[in-house]
Amino acid sequence: MAKDGSGNDSVAARRTPAGAAVLREDKTEAIRAAVFAELAAVGFARMSIEGIARRAGVGKTAVYRRWRSKLHLVLDVVSAVAAAGMPTPDTGSLHGDVRMLLEVAARALRHPMASQIIPDLLAEAARSPELASALKAALHDSQEGIAAAMVARAVERGEIPAGADGRLALDLLTGPLYWRLLVVRDEVPSGYLDELTTAVVSALGGR
């Protein structure tokens, strides 16, 4: 270590380089929360780093220190959603598993932020291959494994025939709800999830 004139260790030599500043987790989480709020309020196209920083209560440099663009920031947030994923149901029956997944999906799609953010990001994904890939992971790939495991357990229990399609199960689980809640913007009437559960199980060859 460098010595100063008195033979002591140099203070400058012990200083942490400016570029090695610790990124505070509370600020990182505040920025991520601000991204969701900004996406819901103005959409991806009008969203800006300045707006995100203002909503998070941080400076622009705090955002750029973590992500180099708003696209990469959104990709990170979307990836975090994918990592969280949906719960893997194991109720002991295909009917119970399907019903649980439909309840979770319906609750998520009813959320005001989700109902605004998801359609906007899907539209933007048509112009951004990177965003399209991240959305596929968040909205499809992470759930496909859950659906496949659910179907495999149902096959082992003898509830549905071997060869039942896990991808079809996922389409049947999410497609009707997405159409009703985010495209038609209609309510889910009482008993609808039970009827949909019966229809999904029947389509997979169950009873």
Side-chain angles (χ1 to χ4, degrees), residues 89-90 92-94 97 147-164 204:
D90 193 5
S93 73
L94 178 60
D97 290 351
M150 179 187 72
V151 167
R153 285 197 300 269
V155 170
E156 290 175 2
R157 290 190 295 258
E159 294 179 277
I160 55 178
L204 293 173

Side-chain angles (χ1 to χ4, degrees), residues 157-203:
R157 290 190 295 258
E159 294 179 277
I160 55 178
D165 191 345
R167 298 191 69 176
L168 174 61
L170 183 59
D171 291 343
L172 294 171
L173 282 163
T174 57
L177 286 177
Y178 184 88
W179 175 263
R180 180 177 284 270
L181 292 172
L182 298 189
V183 178
V184 180
R185 300 280 174 171
D186 199 359
E187 294 295 324
V188 172
S190 175
Y192 176 77
L193 295 184
D194 292 324
E195 293 175 2
L196 186 55
T197 297
T198 300
V200 172
V201 172
S202 177

Side-chain angles (χ1 to χ4, degrees), residues 41-135:
V42 303
F44 181 85
R46 295 176 57 196
M47 187 180 75
S48 66
I49 294 296
E50 291 81 359
I52 293 169
R54 184 167 54 251
R55 191 181 290 270
V58 301
K60 287 193 300 181
T61 55
V63 181
Y64 282 118
R65 194 176 294 133
R66 292 162 173 80
W67 302 278
R68 64 178 181 268
S69 70
K70 74 174 185 179
L71 174 60
H72 289 90
L73 176 48
V74 170
L75 291 176
D76 175 70
V77 171
V78 168
S79 297
V81 171
M86 291 176 67
T88 301
D90 193 5
T91 65
S93 73
L94 178 60
H95 191 281
D97 290 351
V98 169
R99 184 62 176 77
M100 178 181 289
L101 282 179
L102 287 174
E103 182 65 40
V104 172
R107 190 182 309 123
L109 293 175
R110 280 194 194 105
H111 193 285
M113 281 195 178
S115 66
Q116 297 175 68
I117 291 172
I118 294 175
D120 177 72
L121 287 181
L122 288 174
E124 189 64 34
R127 297 179 287 272
S128 170
E130 285 183 284
L131 184 56
S133 178
L135 285 177

